[in-house]
Amino acid sequence: MIPYGRQDISESDIEAVVDVLRSDFLTQGPVVPAFEKAVLEYCHAKFAVAVNSATSALHIACMSLGVGTNDIVWTSPISFVASSNCALYCGATVDFVDIDPLTYNMSVDALSDKLQKAEKVGMLPKVVIPVHLCGQSSQMKEIYELSKKYGFKIIEDASHAIGGKYMGEYIGNCKFSDITVFSFHPVKIITTGEGGMCLTNDPQIALWLSRFRSHGIVRHTSEMTKLPDGPWYYEQIGLGYNYRMTDIQAALGLSQMKRLTEFVEARHKIADYYNNKLTEEWILKPWQHPDTYSALHLYVIRIKEGNSIVGHLQMFEKLRSAGILVNLHYIPIYRQPYYQRMGYKKKDFPNAEAYYKEAISIPMYSSLNTEQQDFIIERINSPMGFQNLF
């Protein structure tokens, strides 16, 4: 079986985790701050808050920007449901912006048009969450410029994108956003088993992120409502959650950070091989915007609808039957039963609908070898019913 994605764990990674298991701290020790610092230094942001998942990171990111009841949050429909659920957790309303037909990220044109219409009826979003699908950055400069015009905050959902670049700088520097969120799930670029992180350049946002991560509790005198009763004293000054990352997870992440550049470069070699070998005219290969250097979490092909060779479902089933565990990233969020009752209309998202009818994520991970790629490519390029004759 060839999965669509998998982790790459080295002996050094294992040793790093074992070292923590033998230490005095399994959680809330020194390794989480060390991991946060490593990511900060790589991405060139000012503050980082590690948490137990990217879903948690998105939740506290919304909370830190004050998202609540009567607020509106916009995101991309082609993403995992966590990208929109985070706003619902806060009591906000969610809406979607159609995708760009080439990058599959939030369309700047669709966003601009939707903002113009929303302004006329007094329904502007408080926060917009662009999703860097497959590891390729959204067009953040243009989105940032719209945020200044229309007054919304920005959370970059960069769950797929650590190690990628936008306009020559690493994703995560928050140059064009208030907060960037990374995921460290096993199929992502680096892993902590489960885990996520918020990056920001705003010290007040960083303060709120840290509070929400750990029950709303503060331990620094400067943040308390009164002088402490003694060295044991702490205060809960708001409602938070237990979203903390353990030192065990952080040790794995810190070790993996040492190979992040290597991982991304390996993914680019794999993508180049696919690009050169997938030759059939009914296959649409990924397109990279010249402003971006993708982390290549996913490699998505599209089976052009209406071609006379093979259908989308046929190709998906054919590859699965061959032991190639392809997937589809993603079902448009508004199609989910939970969201359907909110009244979204498919016709409002023509590019997302076209994508859903054609997209297949084929295997992409740093340890995928050429022999495996050749097997995948041969199965894709050969027509339905094609058999080798011996």
Side-chain angles (χ1 to χ4, degrees):
M1 295 289 184
I2 306 175
Y4 82 85
R6 73 184 308 273
Q7 67 274 13
D8 186 331
I9 303 298
S10 69
E11 286 301 317
S12 294
D13 295 335
I14 294 168
E15 289 172 10
V17 172
V18 171
D19 285 345
V20 169
L21 291 172
R22 289 177 173 151
S23 75
D24 293 333
F25 296 95
L26 298 187
T27 189
Q28 295 181 264
V31 186
V32 170
F35 179 41
E36 291 170 336
K37 182 180 178 183
V39 176
L40 284 179
E41 290 178 349
Y42 188 94
C43 298
H44 301 110
K46 293 181 180 178
F47 305 97
V49 177
V51 290
N52 58 3
S53 72
T55 299
S56 299
L58 287 164
H59 184 194
I60 64 172
C62 284
M63 292 176 70
S64 297
L65 296 180
V67 174
T69 305
N70 300 323
D71 289 328
I72 303 169
V73 174
W74 291 358
T75 189
S76 170
I78 300 299
S79 184
F80 187 56
V81 293
S83 300
S84 55
N85 285 351
C86 58
L88 299 183
Y89 299 156
C90 298
T93 300
V94 171
D95 203 354
F96 302 99
V97 180
D98 202 12
I99 62 170
D100 181 278
L102 295 177
T103 65
Y104 315 144
N105 288 327
M106 182 180 287
S107 165
V108 172
D109 289 341
L111 176 61
S112 179
D113 182 63
K114 195 177 184 82
L115 287 165
Q116 291 176 40
K117 293 175 181 176
E119 185 178 42
K120 291 177 182 177
V121 296
M123 296 290 285
L124 285 169
K126 182 164 189 171
V127 174
V128 171
I129 307 177
V131 178
H132 301 338
L133 192 73
C134 304
Q136 178 174 203
S137 176
S138 303
Q139 293 309 107
M140 294 308 304
K141 184 173 184 291
E142 289 87 346
I143 295 172
Y144 177 78
E145 289 169 351
L146 287 170
S147 78
K148 295 306 172 187
K149 181 177 180 179
Y150 291 99
F152 58 85
K153 299 292 187 179
I154 301 172
I155 300 170
E156 294 180 69
D157 185 345
S159 294
H160 295 182
I162 191 169
K165 295 180 182 179
Y166 174 63
M167 299 183 74
E169 298 182 68
Y170 282 109
I171 294 168
N173 66 9
C174 299
K175 184 175 181 179
F176 298 114
S177 64
D178 297 279
I179 303 171
T180 300
V181 168
F182 290 135
S183 171
F184 307 124
H185 183 276
V187 297
K188 300 302 196 301
I189 312 301
I190 65 168
T191 186
T192 59
E194 285 279 6
M197 189 176 290
C198 294
L199 278 67
T200 184
N201 292 327
D202 187 317
Q204 190 60 45
I205 291 175
L207 196 63
W208 282 110
L209 290 167
S210 296
R211 290 174 182 174
F212 290 135
R213 161 178 71 176
S214 190
H215 305 284
I217 286 173
V218 298
R219 296 180 182 274
H220 298 292
T221 304
S222 61
E223 299 176 59
M224 293 179 180
T225 61
K226 72 180 191 68
L227 292 175
D229 298 338
W232 61 83
Y233 190 73
Y234 60 87
E235 289 185 347
Q236 182 187 348
I237 61 172
L239 184 63
Y241 300 84
N242 183 0
Y243 283 168
R244 294 186 299 256
M245 176 180 281
T246 68
D247 274 40
I248 300 168
Q249 293 168 297
L252 178 56
L254 184 58
S255 181
Q256 291 251 304
M257 280 296 296
K258 297 173 184 175
R259 293 189 290 151
L260 174 53
T261 298
E262 173 190 326
F263 287 156
V264 175
E265 289 175 351
R267 288 169 179 269
H268 274 266
K269 289 180 181 178
I270 291 164
D272 289 344
Y273 197 79
Y274 277 141
N275 290 340
N276 290 329
K277 299 290 185 178
L278 291 171
T279 56
E280 300 300 329
E281 60 85 23
W282 39 266
I283 298 171
L284 184 63
K285 292 174 281 191
W287 181 80
Q288 300 297 316
H289 192 286
D291 285 344
T292 68
Y293 174 78
S294 178
L296 285 168
H297 164 51
L298 300 171
Y299 188 96
V300 174
I301 62 170
R302 290 175 65 167
I303 308 302
K304 295 179 183 178
E305 190 175 25
N307 80 80
S308 60
I309 306 298
V310 63
H312 179 236
L313 178 60
Q314 285 178 304
M315 178 59 73
F316 194 97
E317 291 179 337
K318 174 188 176 183
L319 295 174
R320 281 279 182 100
S321 296
I324 304 166
L325 304 183
V326 293
N327 212 329
L328 199 161
H329 297 88
Y330 293 92
I331 302 168
I333 297 172
Y334 55 78
R335 279 176 164 257
Q336 297 296 341
Y338 183 82
Y339 281 86
Q340 285 179 14
R341 63 191 185 195
M342 299 177 192
Y344 302 106
K345 297 179 176 62
K346 294 177 185 177
K347 67 179 180 62
D348 292 335
F349 312 102
N351 292 334
E353 284 296 299
Y355 172 91
Y356 179 55
K357 293 175 182 177
E358 299 180 344
I360 299 176
S361 298
I362 65 176
M364 166 58 80
Y365 49 92
S366 59
S367 60
L368 187 69
N369 62 45
T370 302
E371 183 180 356
Q372 290 171 318
Q373 274 198 277
D374 284 337
F375 178 76
I376 295 161
I377 290 162
E378 191 277 329
R379 292 302 182 278
I380 294 172
N381 280 339
S382 60
M384 296 299 293
F386 176 85
Q387 294 181 342
N388 288 315
L389 300 178
F390 297 97

